[in-house]
Amino acid sequence: MSTSAFDIALDQDGHLCDHTIWTPTIAQKLADTLDVQLTEEHLAILQQVRAFFDKFNHAPATRPLIKWLQKTLPEHDISNQKLQQLFNTGLVARHVNRLAGLPKPPNCL
């Protein structure tokens, strides 16, 4: 268990230890590690990832994550490629869940 400069408890993979303390400010601190400046679009996506977690009680892997976002945010035209560009990573599910303050999905490296 490590704490970073902004003194929030993170697990060894950089995920929040307590997902209930998440705020957009915390999300931006986590996004800084990917060199990403969060926009309204990023935050809408992160809110929906949190809604998925609340509904299904687990962090989504890539395919369910993209299906969920396509259904809940149709105006954003979500695809894996778009998420990779938005979040500056090939490990979409891993980092989108991390920025949303959620645990690492079970099947992620």
Side-chain angles (χ1 to χ4, degrees), residues 37-49 69 73-79 82-83 85-87 96:
Q37 185 60 48
L38 297 180
T39 63
E40 290 300 314
E41 184 172 34
H42 289 95
L43 291 172
I45 290 166
L46 296 177
Q47 295 285 8
Q48 281 305 322
V49 174
L69 292 174
L73 297 170
E75 69 279 12
H76 289 289
D77 197 24
I78 299 296
S79 67
K82 180 168 184 178
L83 291 176
Q85 289 167 347
L86 275 174
F87 291 95
V96 170

Side-chain angles (χ1 to χ4, degrees), residues 11-60:
D11 68 14
Q12 73 272 17
D13 294 314
H15 293 253
L16 287 182
C17 289
D18 176 4
H19 72 88
T20 63
I21 66 167
W22 183 88
T23 64
T25 304
I26 290 172
Q28 182 57 64
K29 298 280 190 222
L30 296 170
D32 289 345
T33 65
L34 297 172
D35 266 344
V36 172
Q37 185 60 48
L38 297 180
T39 63
E40 290 300 314
E41 184 172 34
H42 289 95
L43 291 172
I45 290 166
L46 296 177
Q47 295 285 8
Q48 281 305 322
V49 174
R50 292 182 62 79
F52 180 103
F53 184 84
D54 290 342
K55 182 172 176 146
F56 300 107
N57 213 19
H58 66 87

